[in-house]
Amino acid sequence: MFNYLEPPNAYYEFERIYTAEQWAKKQRWLVNYLTEHQPDVIGFQEVFSIESLKELVKEQGYAYFAVVDEPQVIDDFIYKRPVVAIAAKYPIAEVATVEHDHELAETLGLTEDFTFSRKVLRATITLPHIGNTDCYVVHFKSKRSMIELDEQNKELTPEKNIIELLKADIAGSWGSTIQRGSEATLLMMDIIARRESTQNPMVLMGDFNNDLADGVLSHLLTNTLRFAPAFDSNTYLAKYCLNDAWQLFARSQLNLANQNNQNNENTVDLKRKPTHYFGASSSVLDYILLSCEFDSSYDDSFFEVSHYHTYDRHLINPEFERDDLSTDHGVVLISLALRS
């Protein structure tokens, strides 16, 4: 949501306050997206004004809405630490904050007071055909350095100042990486335990602040075990693993193309769009991961990913009047179809 905060409140610093016109434009952008794409379930990041968002989505047909945290308020009107939220057109049967295993965290070398940088929301939503589904909304720790220094420390020589900034950037960035990877690991442990106890299908969505192929987060897609018996792995493992919705979509499209192509030549051009741009670089930071019930290659699946769309017009072809106060990320949307 990129600092969704109703005026006259300020985000992070006292002068960062939307005017009434800017706030109306920011809300209008969201309404236009919801009207055009009509998602049934949507996860939000960077929410400050919870009640405002709840009322806005309710007017768009989302009768069910949940958060599990509140932003931090300092000096009465300056807000920090935004939260995640979820809205749905179908009933939310249960809402909970994911609580990590503290004993495991200590085993991993984390401090006793380790916490997620943003609380992870789990909403059990009663979806058509498949029933209660555990939907997780995350906003993992960013790559921004955890160590902040005065960039122009007048007490230091220019060279010494650069040295200190370099050390802070290297160490602070690694600290953020440890935090982000630890969040993903501890969340995955909770997801597996929850799956074992409820058997509910699973959806994990949000801003991962990292490429999934990176080793820091790659364990979210673990689907093989090195030493387990092959028969047991094939029988049970898929039920506890997550799949990248893009990979499921790409696979189904390639299979469909091969079925329709007598020469069995791949004629489908599939290229994943970035969800974030920084200078001249781009990356995929936002994901939707799904359990085997949404994998068409799984014998007992209910659905398949029939469409995958990254809404990025506001990033690659922005119009000031329309997109000035939108968001700095692409919006990932998937469609699910019952298997025929």
Side-chain angles (χ1 to χ4, degrees):
M1 297 295 289
F2 196 45
N3 302 319
Y4 186 84
L5 180 59
E6 187 173 13
N9 297 306
Y11 50 94
Y12 301 114
E13 297 176 5
F14 71 92
E15 74 274 9
R16 292 184 174 179
I17 302 173
Y18 296 122
T19 66
E21 181 181 0
Q22 288 173 325
W23 178 241
K25 184 185 289 188
K26 189 168 186 68
Q27 290 190 301
R28 185 167 61 249
W29 187 90
L30 175 58
V31 169
N32 288 342
Y33 177 85
L34 296 177
T35 301
E36 180 179 355
H37 295 279
Q38 293 290 315
D40 294 306
V41 177
I42 184 166
F44 300 97
Q45 292 81 33
E46 293 198 24
V47 178
F48 286 114
S49 294
I50 296 170
E51 287 303 316
S52 172
L53 180 60
K54 181 179 180 180
E55 287 302 312
L56 184 146
V57 297
K58 183 178 181 181
E59 292 173 359
Q60 305 307 312
Y62 296 85
Y64 306 95
F65 180 89
V67 296
V68 291
D69 199 7
E70 294 183 350
Q72 180 183 350
V73 185
I74 58 176
D75 296 333
D76 296 328
F77 73 100
I78 301 176
Y79 282 61
K80 298 172 61 177
R81 298 186 179 278
V83 303
V84 301
I86 195 167
K89 294 183 178 180
Y90 299 106
I92 298 178
E94 180 186 353
V95 179
T97 303
V98 171
E99 299 289 348
H100 70 274
D101 185 327
H102 290 270
E103 184 176 343
L104 175 59
E106 290 189 32
T107 300
L108 297 178
L110 302 174
T111 60
E112 185 177 347
D113 60 352
F114 174 88
T115 60
F116 288 99
S117 54
R118 292 101 172 176
K119 288 186 178 181
V120 177
L121 182 156
R122 185 186 72 234
T124 304
I125 302 177
T126 309
L127 298 177
H129 307 291
I130 202 170
N132 284 353
T133 301
D134 288 335
C135 298
Y136 297 82
V137 182
V138 301
H139 189 179
F140 290 143
K141 179 71 179 72
S142 71
K143 294 183 179 180
R144 186 180 299 109
S145 173
M146 298 180 71
I147 301 174
E148 296 184 5
L149 296 179
D150 183 359
E151 295 184 6
Q152 296 295 330
N153 189 334
K154 296 181 180 179
E155 296 181 1
L156 302 176
T157 66
E159 182 177 2
K160 183 63 175 176
N161 189 54
I162 289 296
I163 291 172
E164 292 303 312
L165 290 173
L166 176 61
K167 289 159 58 178
D169 185 67
I170 293 172
S173 295
W174 176 241
S176 295
T177 299
I178 294 172
Q179 174 75 26
R180 184 167 58 258
S182 299
E183 289 175 353
T185 300
L186 293 171
L187 170 60
M188 196 65 202
M189 296 304 98
D190 183 85
I191 287 175
I192 293 171
R194 172 76 176 178
R195 173 72 151 177
E196 183 182 15
S197 65
T198 67
Q199 304 300 308
N200 288 347
M202 305 173 290
V203 178
L204 170 59
M205 53 187 163
D207 177 2
F208 288 20
N209 266 316
N210 218 115
D211 189 319
L212 258 182
D214 190 310
V216 177
L217 298 185
S218 59
H219 51 277
L220 289 174
L221 298 180
T222 297
N223 58 10
T224 59
L225 294 175
R226 299 178 68 180
F227 304 113
F231 176 81
D232 291 345
S233 291
N234 294 336
T235 303
Y236 303 114
L237 188 59
K239 187 168 68 172
Y240 296 95
C241 296
L242 294 173
N243 306 277
D244 183 354
W246 165 259
Q247 298 297 337
L248 296 182
F249 170 69
R251 185 200 305 158
S252 67
Q253 294 301 296
L254 290 173
N255 289 340
L256 182 62
N258 288 333
Q259 292 172 12
N260 295 334
N261 191 335
Q262 294 180 354
N263 295 323
N264 202 35
E265 295 176 357
N266 177 22
T267 59
V268 178
D269 181 20
L270 291 171
K271 185 176 181 180
R272 190 176 202 161
K273 290 184 177 181
T275 66
H276 189 258
Y277 295 85
F278 184 77
S281 64
S282 61
S283 55
V284 179
L285 300 182
D286 304 86
Y287 296 89
I288 299 176
L289 307 187
L290 303 167
S291 57
C292 59
E293 286 85 355
F294 308 97
D295 179 359
S296 59
S297 69
Y298 185 72
D299 289 341
D300 296 326
S301 65
F302 283 75
F303 290 96
E304 62 181 351
V305 181
S306 59
H307 186 64
Y308 189 104
H309 180 250
T310 300
Y311 183 81
D312 60 359
R313 182 177 65 178
H314 57 295
L315 301 177
I316 63 174
N317 188 28
E319 293 181 8
F320 180 81
E321 185 57 34
R322 182 190 65 202
D323 302 314
D324 175 43
L325 291 155
S326 54
T327 174
D328 60 340
H329 281 242
V331 184
V332 175
L333 174 72
I334 65 169
S335 298
L336 302 172
L338 281 172
R339 290 185 61 190
S340 55

